[in-house]
Amino acid sequence: MSLYLHVNGRRRIMKILLGISGGIAAYKACDLISKAVKKGHQIRCIMTDNATNFVGSSSIEGLCGVKPMRSSFDDAMGHIEWAKWADVACIAPLTANTMAKIACGIADDALTTTFMAIPPQTPILLCPAMNTEMWNHPATQRNLTWINQLKRYNWVEPVEKRLACGDFGIGGLAETTDILNAIETA
């Protein structure tokens, strides 16, 4: 079974907007991009400043062929154009910080500004990745509830596994294959 979008029985290449926020799982964005490109999808990425501490913007550009957006000031209307361009949008990894910004409607960087401008018919997937204690924190759970109340976002749930900090528990980024499957079926 093919997971590509089909239009009149023909495979359709998807335009994927990927937000990368600054957690240790940011390096997995490279694998996600590589898998999407190998399937023929077009991909554009937006990186938070903290994400660039974990993976270089040159690596992202090399994988998807498009320079990642890092500031909404690089191109005054770029965030609007990119928001309209996407067939589907995804943030992977979604850190507790970016999750809190979404829950509260804060648009203070290229990623959150662009994602606030995404048209309502465009599916948005959120893929959290954080330490178990951060995931279980009452503020994070409240933010999860607030985001769900918006009825605008879909989740690729974090998984239970050994985390980068050495702890074992919920909070690991879902496998990139599972994320790409969710993107393709969104």
Side-chain angles (χ1 to χ4, degrees), residues 19 29 31-32 34 44 64 79 91 101-103 127 132 135-136 150 157 161 163 168:
D31 185 51
L32 179 59
S34 179
R44 293 182 183 178
C64 66
H79 65 288
I91 302 176
K101 289 180 181 186
I102 292 169
C127 308
T132 302
W135 176 254
N136 290 329
L150 298 172
E157 297 290 335
K161 65 182 198 177
L163 304 172
F168 184 87

Coordinates of all heavy atoms in Angstrom, one line a residue, residues 19 29 31-32 34 44 64 79 91 101-103 127 132 135-136 150 157 161 163 168:
G19 N 9.3 21.9 11.1 CA 9.9 22.7 12.1 C 10.8 21.8 13.0 O 10.4 20.7 13.3
A29 N 16.0 14.8 12.8 CA 15.4 15.5 11.7 C 16.1 15.2 10.4 O 15.5 15.1 9.3 CB 15.3 17.0 11.9
D31 N 17.5 12.4 9.5 CA 17.0 11.1 9.0 C 15.6 11.3 8.4 O 15.3 10.7 7.4 CB 17.0 10.1 10.1 CG 16.6 8.7 9.7 OD1 17.2 8.2 8.7 OD2 15.7 8.1 10.3
L32 N 14.7 12.0 9.1 CA 13.4 12.3 8.6 C 13.4 13.0 7.2 O 12.7 12.5 6.3 CB 12.6 13.1 9.6 CG 11.1 13.5 9.2 CD1 10.3 12.2 9.0 CD2 10.5 14.3 10.4
S34 N 15.9 13.0 5.0 CA 16.4 12.0 4.1 C 15.4 11.0 3.6 O 15.3 10.8 2.4 CB 17.6 11.3 4.7 OG 18.2 10.3 3.8
R44 N 10.8 21.8 3.2 CA 11.4 23.0 3.7 C 11.5 22.9 5.2 O 10.6 22.4 5.8 CB 10.6 24.2 3.2 CG 10.6 24.5 1.8 CD 9.8 25.8 1.5 NE 9.7 26.0 0.0 CZ 9.1 27.0 -0.5 NH1 8.4 27.9 0.3 NH2 9.0 27.2 -1.8
C64 N 17.8 18.7 2.1 CA 16.6 19.0 1.4 C 16.7 20.0 0.3 O 15.8 20.2 -0.5 CB 15.6 19.6 2.4 SG 16.0 21.2 3.2
H79 N 7.7 33.9 5.9 CA 6.9 33.0 6.8 C 5.5 32.8 6.3 O 4.9 31.7 6.4 CB 6.9 33.5 8.2 CG 6.3 34.8 8.4 ND1 6.8 36.0 8.0 CD2 5.1 35.1 9.1 CE1 5.9 37.0 8.4 NE2 4.9 36.4 9.0
I91 N 6.2 19.5 13.4 CA 7.4 19.9 14.2 C 7.9 18.7 14.9 O 7.2 18.0 15.6 CB 7.0 21.0 15.3 CG1 6.4 22.2 14.7 CG2 8.2 21.3 16.2 CD1 5.8 23.2 15.7
K101 N 4.9 27.6 23.8 CA 4.6 28.8 22.9 C 3.4 28.5 22.1 O 2.5 29.4 22.0 CB 5.8 29.0 22.0 CG 7.0 29.6 22.7 CD 8.1 29.9 21.7 CE 9.4 30.4 22.3 NZ 10.4 30.8 21.3
I102 N 3.2 27.3 21.5 CA 2.0 27.0 20.8 C 0.8 27.1 21.6 O -0.2 27.7 21.3 CB 2.2 25.6 20.1 CG1 3.2 25.7 19.0 CG2 0.8 25.2 19.5 CD1 3.6 24.3 18.5
A103 N 0.9 26.5 22.8 CA -0.3 26.5 23.7 C -0.7 27.9 24.1 O -1.9 28.2 24.3 CB 0.1 25.7 25.0
C127 N 5.3 16.4 17.2 CA 6.1 15.2 17.6 C 6.9 15.6 18.8 O 8.1 15.9 18.6 CB 6.9 14.7 16.5 SG 6.0 14.5 14.9
T132 N 11.4 12.6 30.5 CA 10.2 12.1 31.1 C 9.6 13.1 32.1 O 8.4 13.3 32.1 CB 10.4 10.7 31.8 OG1 10.9 9.8 30.8 CG2 9.2 10.2 32.4
W135 N 8.0 15.9 30.3 CA 6.8 15.5 29.7 C 5.7 15.4 30.7 O 4.5 15.8 30.5 CB 6.9 14.1 29.0 CG 5.7 13.6 28.4 CD1 4.9 12.6 28.9 CD2 4.9 14.1 27.3 NE1 3.8 12.4 28.1 CE2 3.8 13.3 27.1 CE3 5.1 15.2 26.4 CZ2 2.8 13.6 26.1 CZ3 4.2 15.4 25.4 CH2 3.1 14.6 25.3
N136 N 6.0 14.8 31.9 CA 5.0 14.7 33.0 C 4.8 15.9 33.8 O 3.8 15.9 34.6 CB 5.5 13.5 33.9 CG 5.4 12.2 33.2 OD1 4.5 11.9 32.4 ND2 6.2 11.3 33.6
L150 N -7.6 23.5 21.0 CA -7.6 24.3 19.8 C -8.2 23.5 18.6 O -8.6 24.1 17.6 CB -6.2 24.8 19.5 CG -5.6 25.7 20.5 CD1 -4.1 25.9 20.2 CD2 -6.3 27.0 20.6
E157 N 2.7 10.7 19.2 CA 3.0 10.6 20.6 C 4.5 10.3 20.9 O 5.1 9.5 20.1 CB 2.1 9.6 21.3 CG 0.6 9.9 21.2 CD 0.2 11.1 22.1 OE1 0.9 11.4 23.1 OE2 -0.8 11.7 21.8
K161 N 11.4 4.9 26.1 CA 12.6 4.3 25.7 C 13.7 4.9 26.6 O 13.5 5.7 27.4 CB 12.9 4.5 24.2 CG 13.2 6.0 23.8 CD 13.4 6.0 22.3 CE 14.1 7.3 21.9 NZ 14.4 7.3 20.5
L163 N 16.3 7.4 27.2 CA 16.5 8.8 26.7 C 17.9 9.2 26.7 O 18.8 8.5 27.3 CB 15.7 9.7 27.5 CG 14.2 9.4 27.7 CD1 13.5 10.3 28.7 CD2 13.5 9.5 26.3
F168 N 15.2 6.0 31.6 CA 14.2 5.3 30.8 C 12.8 5.7 31.1 O 12.4 5.8 32.2 CB 14.3 3.8 31.0 CG 13.5 2.9 30.1 CD1 13.9 2.5 28.9 CD2 12.2 2.6 30.5 CE1 13.1 1.8 28.1 CE2 11.4 1.9 29.7 CZ 11.8 1.5 28.4

